[in-house]
Amino acid sequence: MTKPIFNFCAGPAMLPKAVMAQAQQEFVNWNDLGCSVMEISHRSANYIDVAKQAEQDLRDLMNISGDYEVLFMHGGGRGQFASVPLNLLPAGGEADYISTGSWSNAAIAEGKKFGKVNIAAESHSENGFASILPRDKWNLSDNAAYVHYCPNETVDGVEFDYIPDVDKPLIADMSSCILSSEIDVSKFGLIYAGAQKNIGPSGLAIVIVRKDLMGKSREGTPSIYDYALQSQSDSMFNTPPTFAWYLAGLVFKWLKAQGGVKAVQAINKQKADLLYNYIDESEFYSNRVVANYRSKMNVPFYLKDENLNKAFLAESEANGLLALKGHRSVGGMRASIYNAMPLEGVQALVEFMQDFAQRNS
Amino acid sequence: MTKPIFNFCAGPAMLPKAVMAQAQQEFVNWNDLGCSVMEISHRSANYIDVAKQAEQDLRDLMNISGDYEVLFMHGGGRGQFASVPLNLLPAGGEADYISTGSWSNAAIAEGKKFGKVNIAAESHSENGFASILPRDKWNLSDNAAYVHYCPNETVDGVEFDYIPDVDKPLIADMSSCILSSEIDVSKFGLIYAGAQKNIGPSGLAIVIVRKDLMGKSREGTPSIYDYALQSQSDSMFNTPPTFAWYLAGLVFKWLKAQGGVKAVQAINKQKADLLYNYIDESEFYSNRVVANYRSKMNVPFYLKDENLNKAFLAESEANGLLALKGHRSVGGMRASIYNAMPLEGVQALVEFMQDFAQRNS
């Protein structure tokens, strides 16, 4: 009997087994057309059905109202770091950005290319534990066109446990937490997400944008990044990444079959609790994030004896637990446990961690 | 016995059968890792091998010298319509564009967002047949930063049979003709191509850029579109579309196995000759492009009695000949016969066309 393999990669990340099996089965003969879904025109009736169904399923899953447009775009999350200011920040304007870790800081660096960035809250720690500066200590600017934040920091394992209340359009980079828990979309001006964590393969970004915010792109915005133009063309101003969009659609169907976001949120909590509880009990491992702000998607942890890192990685991989190495900027380990990761994967990880600790204590 | 199916879609287009079969076979267990190539980190050693090998194979196929960088980017061809001027046209600068049909005109419209566009040659016809204004009649500007043209017009079926001699960097949108015939890369400043015709699935663009042209992107260029930045990061400044890149690599390997570009060029000529010769002989069909400038990749044709269009499309599809409808802007029919289309596909098409003509004359 071969051991099952569990892939903890932060992204591109594992996709649901059932989705991958279906995509493989119909890979060269989709919909009985005698060719792949990636070999047909994005303007064919067959493909437009795929595209529209994926959008509708996402709308259902996130309860997105008709006040919002849903776009399927090229360029991943980083493309949106530019696209957001190009569309929403008037030339010479100012925007608030909240710094909580690597990805919000990358959005800040890109935002500065397009206007004045007010860092309303800095990356924050409490007694050496990563945390989030309380909302009442943020210095928001009166002139900000929007407030940008990253609800879940993939590298740092820091996650907001609330939606910040602001009086400007709230922009969220949900690349690593979209569809992982129920949220009230109406509190946001715009939500974006690179697909390669909770949605599908890399090369696709989802943008959910309040319709009244579109149509003000600044001069020199590349057309493929113009929200209004893409909206008018049903995200087909240019040829979209059709296979990624199709796979996203399969993931949305799979999520619905699991019982929707509410159901996976409960499993995600179970998975995260299991792992954090074990880490907290253990003398051998530690997590360096304040409890309230621990990510349910990305769990970074450290071996107390970092000389054992190499052995931990080699042995975990040999045991079918893949890609546990922490991001190069922070070291240590990281288990990304997105929607597609089953509870059994986290159980297998904890069992391995226990065994490894026992053998090396 | 089921009839074989041949897919004449202009893009996203058919990929080589052998490539699709391999991708299907290893779809959920690539390289014996227990997961898909789309589920691993783009920064893993395994993936970097894929990425580097694809680049090397493309370099071999096109004989690309070390003076050129090869980039794998998001956003398809239309993304490059903006990326080219953002990187190569100084603010307030001027560039020459050659208008030969739909796609060069789309590049012109986008180029105008970023500077002064001098249309050095207009779309041209001779006695009602689409043609290309001879090089000696072009009005190039002394101040142009570059000369942009589209060697093969996918919609119009017009193709250059020479590389224009200009004294500025020559920029070519080769989306629908890259790798279809041997070219001398050293004559170009930059070549780009959306992948979804001769390379792979949609969502990927290849950029081959002379190194001395990089590093001058203008202020406000989205980082993911900055050639120098992507070059420094081996096209991984942001997460690349990893599955598309992998598939492109398989296509490059397949091309090598066919004998390289020289060998497929010979087959492409055979395919195009077969189809154009039949159209020219026939009283029933016509092509409206001057002979010298007929595309070897996209063959638009018209039924003399256009009332039969609907029947032609329905019957061709029923006979396993897919996606022959012409582009909505020009009507009629179009057979796209990229590298992946075997000679048998064109033979089957001609046989069907003969039979249809006979039954309807």
Side-chain angles (χ1 to χ4, degrees):
Chain A
M1 202 183 85
T2 338
K3 266 201 172 182
I5 283 168
F6 296 108
N7 174 7
F8 295 91
C9 191
M14 71 170 291
L15 293 171
K17 295 270 176 219
V19 164
M20 294 301 284
Q22 181 180 343
Q24 179 178 38
Q25 190 267 320
E26 63 195 22
F27 193 72
V28 299
N29 184 18
W30 176 79
N31 218 9
D32 215 18
L33 289 185
C35 65
S36 168
V37 67
M38 78 173 73
E39 296 174 305
I40 66 172
S41 171
H42 53 297
R43 301 203 187 279
S44 65
N46 276 302
Y47 192 79
I48 287 171
D49 282 350
V50 170
K52 282 200 188 304
Q53 189 62 51
E55 178 185 334
Q56 188 55 54
D57 287 334
L58 182 63
R59 284 185 177 276
D60 296 346
L61 285 164
M62 294 183 70
N63 197 16
I64 301 168
S65 85
D67 295 339
Y68 289 79
E69 189 60 275
V70 176
L71 304 174
F72 290 76
M73 296 179 78
H74 290 253
R78 275 212 196 252
Q80 294 304 314
F81 290 177
S83 196
V84 163
L86 280 166
N87 281 274
L88 305 183
L89 183 59
E94 180 176 3
D96 285 323
Y97 279 74
I98 312 304
S99 156
T100 48
S102 295
W103 285 102
S104 54
N105 289 341
I108 287 168
E110 188 76 2
K112 283 178 177 171
K113 298 178 82 166
F114 301 97
K116 191 169 171 224
V117 164
N118 174 51
I119 300 174
E122 292 264 22
S123 288
H124 178 69
S125 76
E126 287 169 22
N127 308 320
F129 288 81
S131 186
I132 288 172
L133 192 74
R135 168 68 189 85
D136 58 11
K137 295 198 174 149
W138 295 4
N139 285 311
L140 297 170
S141 162
D142 289 340
N143 304 316
Y146 57 80
V147 181
H148 179 283
Y149 83 122
C150 181
N152 182 66
E153 289 279 3
T154 320
V155 171
D156 311 85
V158 171
E159 185 170 4
F160 276 79
D161 65 347
Y162 65 96
I163 297 172
D165 194 19
V166 296
D167 61 2
K168 301 286 168 52
L170 183 65
I171 316 294
D173 172 4
M174 293 201 185
S175 294
S176 54
C177 62
I178 192 166
L179 294 163
S180 69
S181 65
E182 291 190 302
I183 56 154
D184 180 353
V185 171
S186 75
K187 298 209 165 158
F188 295 86
L190 185 150
I191 292 166
Y192 65 88
Q196 67 269 22
K197 292 152 195 301
N198 250 338
I199 293 175
S202 60
L204 174 70
I206 304 283
V207 177
I208 302 161
V209 51
R210 222 174 62 208
K211 286 177 178 168
D212 64 291
L213 296 175
M214 299 193 302
K216 293 163 210 157
S217 67
R218 67 165 76 180
E219 231 179 282
T221 299
S223 294
I224 73 161
Y225 276 165
D226 186 309
Y227 297 141
L229 211 56
Q230 288 290 11
S231 158
Q232 286 153 24
S233 319
D234 296 325
S235 301
M236 295 192 185
F237 176 74
N238 59 331
T239 311
T242 53
F243 190 68
W245 190 335
Y246 147 82
L247 275 176
L250 293 189
V251 170
F252 300 154
K253 284 274 180 239
W254 174 83
L255 274 172
K256 282 185 152 183
Q258 307 307 300
V261 176
K262 190 175 186 159
V264 298
Q265 177 173 359
I267 301 167
N268 286 335
K269 183 171 184 325
Q270 240 187 309
K271 282 150 50 184
D273 284 349
L274 179 64
L275 187 48
Y276 284 116
N277 287 343
Y278 170 66
I279 290 169
D280 287 346
E281 280 164 21
S282 138
E283 305 272 294
F284 196 87
Y285 306 98
S286 70
N287 167 274
R288 302 181 187 165
V289 180
V290 165
N292 279 358
Y293 296 126
R294 283 171 165 180
S295 168
K296 284 172 201 72
M297 294 286 104
N298 310 96
V299 182
F301 61 91
Y302 294 87
L303 276 62
K304 290 203 176 146
D305 179 0
E306 296 224 301
N307 293 316
L308 293 169
N309 281 357
K310 222 173 148 181
F312 183 91
L313 285 169
E315 292 180 31
S316 57
E317 193 171 320
N319 278 273
L321 306 168
L322 310 184
L324 285 165
K325 193 174 181 180
H327 191 267
R328 62 198 186 286
S329 65
V330 294
M333 307 296 152
R334 174 175 50 175
S336 292
I337 51 175
Y338 300 117
N339 287 346
M341 175 62 66
L343 181 60
E344 296 74 45
V346 181
Q347 285 165 339
L349 172 60
V350 169
E351 276 163 34
F352 169 79
M353 288 170 73
Q354 286 171 324
D355 180 61
F356 186 86
Q358 207 158 24
R359 285 186 288 110
N360 290 279
S361 292
Chain B
M1 203 183 82
T2 338
K3 267 201 172 184
I5 284 168
F6 297 108
N7 174 7
F8 295 90
C9 191
M14 72 170 290
L15 294 170
K17 293 270 175 221
V19 164
M20 294 301 285
Q22 181 182 342
Q24 180 178 37
Q25 190 267 320
E26 62 195 23
F27 193 72
V28 298
N29 185 18
W30 177 78
N31 219 8
D32 215 19
L33 289 185
C35 66
S36 168
V37 67
M38 77 173 73
E39 296 173 304
I40 66 171
S41 171
H42 53 298
R43 301 202 188 280
S44 64
N46 275 303
Y47 192 79
I48 288 170
D49 281 351
V50 170
K52 282 200 188 304
Q53 189 62 52
E55 180 186 334
Q56 188 55 53
D57 286 335
L58 182 62
R59 285 186 178 275
D60 295 346
L61 284 164
M62 293 181 72
N63 197 18
I64 301 168
S65 85
D67 296 339
Y68 289 79
E69 189 60 274
V70 175
L71 304 174
F72 290 77
M73 297 181 77
H74 291 252
R78 273 210 196 256
Q80 293 305 314
F81 290 178
S83 197
V84 164
L86 281 165
N87 282 274
L88 306 184
L89 184 59
E94 181 176 1
D96 285 323
Y97 279 75
I98 311 304
S99 156
T100 48
S102 295
W103 284 102
S104 54
N105 290 340
I108 286 167
E110 188 76 4
K112 283 179 175 169
K113 297 177 83 166
F114 301 96
K116 192 170 169 223
V117 165
N118 173 51
I119 300 174
E122 291 264 21
S123 287
H124 178 69
S125 77
E126 286 169 23
N127 308 320
F129 288 81
S131 187
I132 288 172
L133 192 72
R135 169 67 190 86
D136 59 11
K137 294 200 174 145
W138 294 5
N139 286 310
L140 297 170
S141 162
D142 289 341
N143 305 316
Y146 57 79
V147 181
H148 179 283
Y149 84 120
C150 181
N152 183 66
E153 289 279 3
T154 321
V155 171
D156 311 85
V158 171
E159 184 170 5
F160 277 77
D161 65 347
Y162 65 96
I163 297 172
D165 193 19
V166 297
D167 60 2
K168 302 285 168 54
L170 183 64
I171 315 294
D173 173 4
M174 292 201 185
S175 294
S176 55
C177 62
I178 192 167
L179 293 164
S180 69
S181 65
E182 290 189 302
I183 55 153
D184 180 354
V185 171
S186 76
K187 297 207 166 159
F188 295 86
L190 185 150
I191 292 166
Y192 65 88
Q196 68 269 23
K197 293 155 196 298
N198 251 336
I199 293 175
S202 60
L204 174 70
I206 304 282
V207 177
I208 302 162
V209 52
R210 222 174 62 209
K211 286 176 178 169
D212 64 291
L213 296 175
M214 299 193 302
K216 295 162 208 157
S217 67
R218 64 165 79 180
E219 233 180 281
T221 299
S223 293
I224 72 161
Y225 276 166
D226 186 308
Y227 297 141
L229 211 56
Q230 288 289 11
S231 159
Q232 287 152 24
S233 320
D234 296 326
S235 302
M236 294 192 185
F237 176 75
N238 60 331
T239 311
T242 53
F243 190 67
W245 191 335
Y246 148 82
L247 275 176
L250 294 188
V251 171
F252 300 154
K253 284 273 181 239
W254 174 84
L255 274 172
K256 280 185 153 183
Q258 305 308 299
V261 175
K262 189 173 185 161
V264 298
Q265 177 174 0
I267 301 167
N268 286 335
K269 183 170 182 327
Q270 241 187 309
K271 283 150 51 185
D273 283 349
L274 178 64
L275 187 49
Y276 283 116
N277 287 343
Y278 170 65
I279 290 169
D280 287 345
E281 280 164 22
S282 137
E283 305 271 294
F284 197 86
Y285 306 99
S286 70
N287 167 274
R288 300 179 187 167
V289 180
V290 165
N292 280 358
Y293 297 127
R294 282 171 166 179
S295 168
K296 284 172 201 70
M297 293 286 103
N298 310 97
V299 182
F301 60 91
Y302 295 87
L303 276 64
K304 290 203 176 144
D305 179 359
E306 297 223 301
N307 293 317
L308 293 169
N309 282 357
K310 221 173 148 180
F312 182 91
L313 285 168
E315 292 180 31
S316 57
E317 192 171 321
N319 279 271
L321 305 168
L322 309 184
L324 285 165
K325 194 174 180 181
H327 191 268
R328 62 197 188 286
S329 65
V330 294
M333 307 296 153
R334 173 175 51 174
S336 292
I337 50 175
Y338 300 117
N339 287 346
M341 175 63 67
L343 181 60
E344 297 73 49
V346 181
Q347 286 166 338
L349 171 61
V350 169
E351 277 164 35
F352 169 79
M353 287 170 74
Q354 286 171 324
D355 180 61
F356 185 86
Q358 208 159 25
R359 285 185 288 108
N360 291 279
S361 293

